[in-house]
Amino acid sequence: MKLFDTIDKIKFEGPDSDNSLAFKYYNPDQIVAGKPMKEHLRFAMSYWHTLTGDGSDPFGAATMERPWNELDGIEQAKLRADIGFEFMEKLGMEYFCFHDLDIAPEGKNLKEKHANLDIIVDYIEELMKKTGIKCLWGTTNAFTHPRFVHGASTSPNADVFAYAAAQVKKAMEITMRLGGENYVFWGGREGYETLLNTNTELELDNLARFLQMAVDYKEKIGFTGQLLIEPKPKEPTKHQYDFDTATVLGFLRKYNLQDHFKLNIEANHATLAMHTFDHELNMCRINGALGSIDANQGDLLLGWDTDQFPTNIYDAVLAMIEVLKNGGIAPGGLNFDSKVRRGSFEPVDLFYGYIAGMDTFARGLIIADNLIKDGVFDNFTKERYASYETGIGKQIINKEVGFEELENYALGLGDIKNTSGRQELLENILNQYIYR
Amino acid sequence: MKLFDTIDKIKFEGPDSDNSLAFKYYNPDQIVAGKPMKEHLRFAMSYWHTLTGDGSDPFGAATMERPWNELDGIEQAKLRADIGFEFMEKLGMEYFCFHDLDIAPEGKNLKEKHANLDIIVDYIEELMKKTGIKCLWGTTNAFTHPRFVHGASTSPNADVFAYAAAQVKKAMEITMRLGGENYVFWGGREGYETLLNTNTELELDNLARFLQMAVDYKEKIGFTGQLLIEPKPKEPTKHQYDFDTATVLGFLRKYNLQDHFKLNIEANHATLAMHTFDHELNMCRINGALGSIDANQGDLLLGWDTDQFPTNIYDAVLAMIEVLKNGGIAPGGLNFDSKVRRGSFEPVDLFYGYIAGMDTFARGLIIADNLIKDGVFDNFTKERYASYETGIGKQIINKEVGFEELENYALGLGDIKNTSGRQELLENILNQYIYR
Amino acid sequence: MKLFDTIDKIKFEGPDSDNSLAFKYYNPDQIVAGKPMKEHLRFAMSYWHTLTGDGSDPFGAATMERPWNELDGIEQAKLRADIGFEFMEKLGMEYFCFHDLDIAPEGKNLKEKHANLDIIVDYIEELMKKTGIKCLWGTTNAFTHPRFVHGASTSPNADVFAYAAAQVKKAMEITMRLGGENYVFWGGREGYETLLNTNTELELDNLARFLQMAVDYKEKIGFTGQLLIEPKPKEPTKHQYDFDTATVLGFLRKYNLQDHFKLNIEANHATLAMHTFDHELNMCRINGALGSIDANQGDLLLGWDTDQFPTNIYDAVLAMIEVLKNGGIAPGGLNFDSKVRRGSFEPVDLFYGYIAGMDTFARGLIIADNLIKDGVFDNFTKERYASYETGIGKQIINKEVGFEELENYALGLGDIKNTSGRQELLENILNQYIYR
Amino acid sequence: MKLFDTIDKIKFEGPDSDNSLAFKYYNPDQIVAGKPMKEHLRFAMSYWHTLTGDGSDPFGAATMERPWNELDGIEQAKLRADIGFEFMEKLGMEYFCFHDLDIAPEGKNLKEKHANLDIIVDYIEELMKKTGIKCLWGTTNAFTHPRFVHGASTSPNADVFAYAAAQVKKAMEITMRLGGENYVFWGGREGYETLLNTNTELELDNLARFLQMAVDYKEKIGFTGQLLIEPKPKEPTKHQYDFDTATVLGFLRKYNLQDHFKLNIEANHATLAMHTFDHELNMCRINGALGSIDANQGDLLLGWDTDQFPTNIYDAVLAMIEVLKNGGIAPGGLNFDSKVRRGSFEPVDLFYGYIAGMDTFARGLIIADNLIKDGVFDNFTKERYASYETGIGKQIINKEVGFEELENYALGLGDIKNTSGRQELLENILNQYIYR
């Protein structure tokens, strides 16, 4: 049984194609900045939004027309896997990302859950071998089940901590077995609803204890993938501990975990935290902590995680600038943590969504590369900070001066001359690079 | 020349008073939790909003009716000081906070500025001696002058870095001379407008270099006050580096500055960062970093810093719970970084504003003390986390178990039983304590 | 089968009671402003949040422990009704509000749905007779089912318009049969996701056509209840046509429907539209359009409809001022469109939530009455606008002058003298009334 | 004295030009959709941001380097006018917009203000004759002066109402004399800070009385320009009465003013009201109320009016779609209510800002025209609503059916079949049109 019998493999047809089922910009083997596009972008399918998302929302029931709607249990899980791999093949998508709960039914208890996972992991392994598609990252879902109502590793209930630990252990094992290059922690319930009933100090200490156990177990089993933390400020929890990049980096440093974790940055989580996407990527990059990307976009006029397919070219260009300056995103990638709108319920809309996202980032890559090659922003910025390369600026950098020397220097200054930041000009040049 | 000839010293008259120029709750010597109210609250007048604020806004001119409107230069500065100390005396306010630019005219250059400061500091010192009023903290204004258009210690221009250093040096000296118990850093221009022209890495490194110089100079001159950083996420700058408590703590740890700085938390800055006021206080407290408080409130339906006098009793109670649990706020205090509305332009409105704020926090203190004494939230919370005091929970805390032991444990669990978080009940009890 | 065997009727025990299952302020027969509290407040239970809400959220499964979890179909519906009426009796709640879908299962088609409704309406009618509990309002759910994915009366699909019409027809008939005093329209899907595919003009015209049909049918069957529109700016739809009070009033006037509809104002919808709750009530009141209230509260730091039980006393006081000035809320009422938090999953939390909400509004009523009786804000405001009662102000009101006369008058004016708005003083007095 | 001696007239050089002082897309006489670009766009310079804006912000002093900084009074006003017209000529800008206060000093009283205006209007009239540059619209500034602290036409002080009337009278006369094609009302202080001291009913009635006087006076003097209201939700006032398009339209209908006013829509005001720019334009268009446009853009992560030069191509395309469907924007235009960033303080940045904005809208026009010509969204949308052109849909439109007929129809329906809204596909096609 196939979902997409009538749809052929999506091909690159170039910018002038009017074929809505073709790539206009994503040309996987085209060389950009010295390597094929696909190696820059390392696109991944999100198992959840693509294969288990049903279009329900807080006020509405499922809308998605999917062939597995009539099935359940292991049979449903296998059909999802079949169709998911068919979908990835047709898109030329080389990676996927998953939660344990996406791929296998929960079961009545932990033992049954583990057994279900083992069946499906066998199945998926076969599909991977057959198709050559790889696992970008795995994770566990420790937020949906009611047992996690008050948190997982930050639950007030030690049994829940233990259960979450067992879940991560198994999910890490599975990820390792599938050759996953990363393992992600997103703490959807790690936070609080009200301080009236919360011991934040104990909860944060427990979060650190939990992550240290993950580090220990990773080493024990020899899992060589990256460990990633995914920040989000809120939703579902009122305050989530992993609020944003800066918060996570500070937490890691406090608990001496900074050498063991990098970050998985999601565009929509960035804007929910009142930051731009490129701000979050930049903060990661300059701290050596850029691990992977959840590619999507939010609606800045709405206050929740809309997880839309990324089609804003500005965001894509600025993101790819950070990725290129980072020397690439590997072993991370660009995972489409994106879902078709509830009103885009036909199977073909999945193709439209992914094509839109892949073309946007492909074009973003090309533009970013041009901007960097031409030194458009870099030359301007270098010049702007030139005063730190000589004289008093150099002495500051080299820590050769303190307040007293600087006061002496300042007393001798006439009016200080600054130069314009040229924001309007730079924005206009960015537009030129986007259009041409 | 006096501003408030017709207004006597503001007295405590108790809750039933209808005198709008009396305290209903702030009774400075009333013992609460073992010490006088005034020692818990350590209220301070903000020099800027009270004595230099003129009621202008981005769309409107000055409205405030003030006797110094007709003066300028040193004469204006002295009249402000006279009236400010009269005002504090009448309020029974024991502290004030200031920027260098609040107390003395800028002058044509740094030398003249220093000279102006020396004159006024002499003058203020006299007023302090005469009245017994003390300095809670001082700071420099490194954001108003156009030279700081692109930042102060994070300016792309090394001359500006030097100038800012000279300003902080002098401001710290003045603060020390006035017996200031703290020195504050608020980086209104330390951030960026657009990443297109910004080297965030260099700027953040420079910010750290600057703060290290401040630490060095403090030690050199033997200033024993606390150094405080005041977070704010944005405004005037699009992105401010000291976004919130978590960001600042992470920054301090990265640059190994965490032993030298605590935080000055402002309610309105908390909400601009999408946090509650008590969240920010709590994060400081559990990290041993609660330094001082800027007491005001924002309007959560408006997107800028409204700096209103704090009258919301919920915020005051929750803040005072954190202060009491912190063992007090000293050597910090509660500085009213609050301004009367532009439409409250008569001098007497300053009294109404401060009385409103002081009564609100006085009542907040009493309620917080009652809640803590009765163990209202603490007993509930202790019980909620009891599972970490024995058995597997205790083993987790003691790091006696890892993922493998926890998996074994979890496999043996039946359905996990959580208990309700009781948010509605706790909120209702809070109301009871507020009313009675 | 009873849910609350161990819980007795909730009694008024006064402010000093420590019984968490007693009212501290809600004393139904206590006379306030000339009539019993309960007649001012006209509290109603929301059928959905109380009896069908399960605690699920976009990232989490159901948590609520409810006795009907094991049942389905008509049996489940009957058990819900039994327990709902038991709950209302124990609370002394005199009204309930419902969607058709809350009380009866959807069925396979419209005919079956109607049949299910008829069975349950018979059943509820019996419970109403037995208990004396009344119906405040009914409505239809035209947003959950996937057929409404693109709207109900504003769907691009005329069949959906027809289906929605059939639903409203039946729901209005049921409401009438149960003696409902109001019928509500909330257009959760009446809006758009993107203008790229939307004909707003046709959709808005259709919305008006639909409402006119409702008016016609109401008249035809002799239903004498009020028709109410409930504004909400967004969620689940990106832009909802009934954005806020002003938008709805403008829409009604455009289509000449203003004599047939009043508004149902929800606190959380007000703040999602960036208005205060009292702003929305005030705008309704001065336009003669205040119909009913959905009592709850949102979290202003979160961007979605949290529908929390209302415990903020400021909001309750300001809301009850508007209600009292409106001459009461009847035939509307205060419907608790509020849900216990996902973490408050035990049945008793329903009592805690409702008690919190009812006590908050009872206390709000008393404070509002005191403020009005004492003329606290009214006298100040009357004086503030006194210039319109004589001279040029009176001429303006009476339209006796135009620009030319006013220019002449203005040319003769010296400096204009305004007086302070006294916001800080007024806020502080409000606090005094809250505390005492 | 000239500001821009070294800058020549800005020419169109096409997309491949690297000249930062050339247009890449704005080619005034290029024919698009049957008429020259410049007739579609009708660009205007904003006198205030361009000639009086000084770069100050709530935390910072003026930064802008301008030749009139050393002057004041009439001499300053004349130099501004000279340079403003030089600037417009060099840009090929055919219109300007102004407040009375932008062009002439306030004077000591109304009489002196009028006299100042008369001098400057003579002066500007000469410049207009010499250059052929026209006035798009005029207005009065009734928000900056402290007399307007509590409002202008909605002030509690009738003298202020009178003064505002005199200002509008004079400003309308001036606008008429300068051949202004529109007159704008922006009520920056028409709203309230707190309901505790506000009579909203009287204030709104007064606002309507004021506008009616404006209509009467316009007719009396034979001014044939359009009257425009500019919505803004907040800032500087907490709640502004002209919140958004829907609010203004409802207000106009309530007071029977709808035939006399259209709207002036500003992009940044739209987003402050939580709407997209194109939403506001669309709401105007379908109500026959699209009058003019204030072209700028806000930062959706900041909560105030940033008034940035518009460089977002998505906004420009979607705006121009609405303008084209409206049959053009005349007699309105596209006024750049945009200011260079505080850090873009050199004179040449004014050129960079305007070039960026003009190129963005020029390109937006071309893309919008292509999208309309190709029927990209229109054909899809027409098909989407086809069910209203026949059968039951047509009967609904024609009001031939009511609830009873629709219920009968719905009972006969099987499962309703909707079709996908295709948002992702449409967004991707929009990108294609932007790139190519």
Side-chain angles (χ1 to χ4, degrees), chain D residues 287-307:
Chain D
N287 284 285
L290 180 50
S292 196
I293 288 175
D294 266 15
N296 64 16
Q297 72 187 21
D299 182 324
L300 275 73
L301 297 173
L302 300 180
W304 61 93
D305 204 9
T306 61
D307 281 349

Side-chain angles (χ1 to χ4, degrees), chain A residues 159 192 200 203 279 385 409, chain B residues 159 192 203 279 282 385 409:
Chain A
D159 284 358
Y192 64 81
T200 53
E203 291 200 1
H279 168 85
Y385 293 85
Y409 177 83
Chain B
D159 284 356
Y192 64 81
E203 293 201 359
H279 168 84
N282 181 277
Y385 293 85
Y409 177 83

Side-chain angles (χ1 to χ4, degrees), chain C residues 206-240:
Chain C
N206 278 354
L207 180 54
R209 288 181 185 107
F210 191 93
L211 293 175
Q212 183 60 54
M213 289 182 195
V215 170
D216 295 343
Y217 190 67
K218 175 191 163 178
E219 282 166 14
K220 173 152 194 181
I221 63 174
F223 174 52
T224 57
Q226 275 187 147
L227 300 185
L228 302 173
I229 293 180
E230 179 173 330
K232 189 178 184 186
K234 54 188 172 185
E235 200 206 19
T237 304
K238 175 187 165 46
H239 177 86
Q240 205 165 302

Side-chain angles (χ1 to χ4, degrees), chain A residues 59-60 63 342 345, chain C residues 100-101 106 110 113 140-157 159-168 188-190 210 236-237, chain D residues 416 418:
Chain A
F59 295 84
T63 59
R342 188 171 181 264
F345 46 74
Chain C
D100 46 8
L101 203 59
E106 173 98 34
L110 188 57
K113 179 178 177 167
T140 193
N141 177 325
F143 46 89
T144 296
H145 194 280
R147 79 174 65 86
F148 301 116
V149 63
H150 298 311
S153 61
T154 64
S155 172
N157 183 343
D159 284 358
V160 177
F161 184 110
Y163 202 98
Q167 282 195 191
V168 173
R189 304 279 174 200
E190 312 294 30
F210 191 93
T237 304
Chain D
I416 291 177
N418 283 305

Side-chain angles (χ1 to χ4, degrees), chain B residues 119-159:
Chain B
I119 295 168
I120 293 296
V121 167
D122 283 348
Y123 195 79
I124 288 178
E125 213 171 20
E126 281 305 305
L127 291 167
M128 290 172 71
K129 267 186 220 153
K130 213 164 59 185
T131 59
I133 290 169
K134 290 162 282 184
C135 174
L136 186 66
W137 52 259
T139 188
T140 193
N141 176 326
F143 47 90
T144 296
H145 194 280
R147 81 175 63 87
F148 301 115
V149 63
H150 298 312
S153 61
T154 64
S155 172
N157 184 344
D159 284 356

Side-chain angles (χ1 to χ4, degrees), chain C residues 147 150 155-156 158-159 169 192 197 200 203 220 254 279 282 287 384-385 387-388 404 407 409 419 421, chain D residues 150 155 158-159 169 192 197 200 203 220 254 279 282 287 384-385 387-388 404 407 409 418-419 421:
Chain C
R147 79 174 65 86
H150 298 311
S155 172
D159 284 358
K169 176 177 176 292
Y192 64 81
N197 66 14
T200 54
E203 291 200 1
K220 173 152 194 181
K254 176 176 177 183
H279 169 84
N282 181 277
N287 283 286
R384 195 172 181 232
Y385 293 85
S387 65
Y388 288 99
E404 286 163 303
E407 184 188 52
Y409 176 83
T419 54
Chain D
H150 298 311
S155 172
D159 284 357
K169 176 176 175 292
Y192 65 81
N197 66 13
T200 53
E203 292 200 0
K220 174 153 195 179
K254 176 176 176 183
H279 169 84
N282 181 278
N287 284 285
R384 196 172 181 231
Y385 293 86
S387 67
Y388 289 99
E404 287 163 303
E407 184 187 52
Y409 176 84
N418 283 305
T419 55

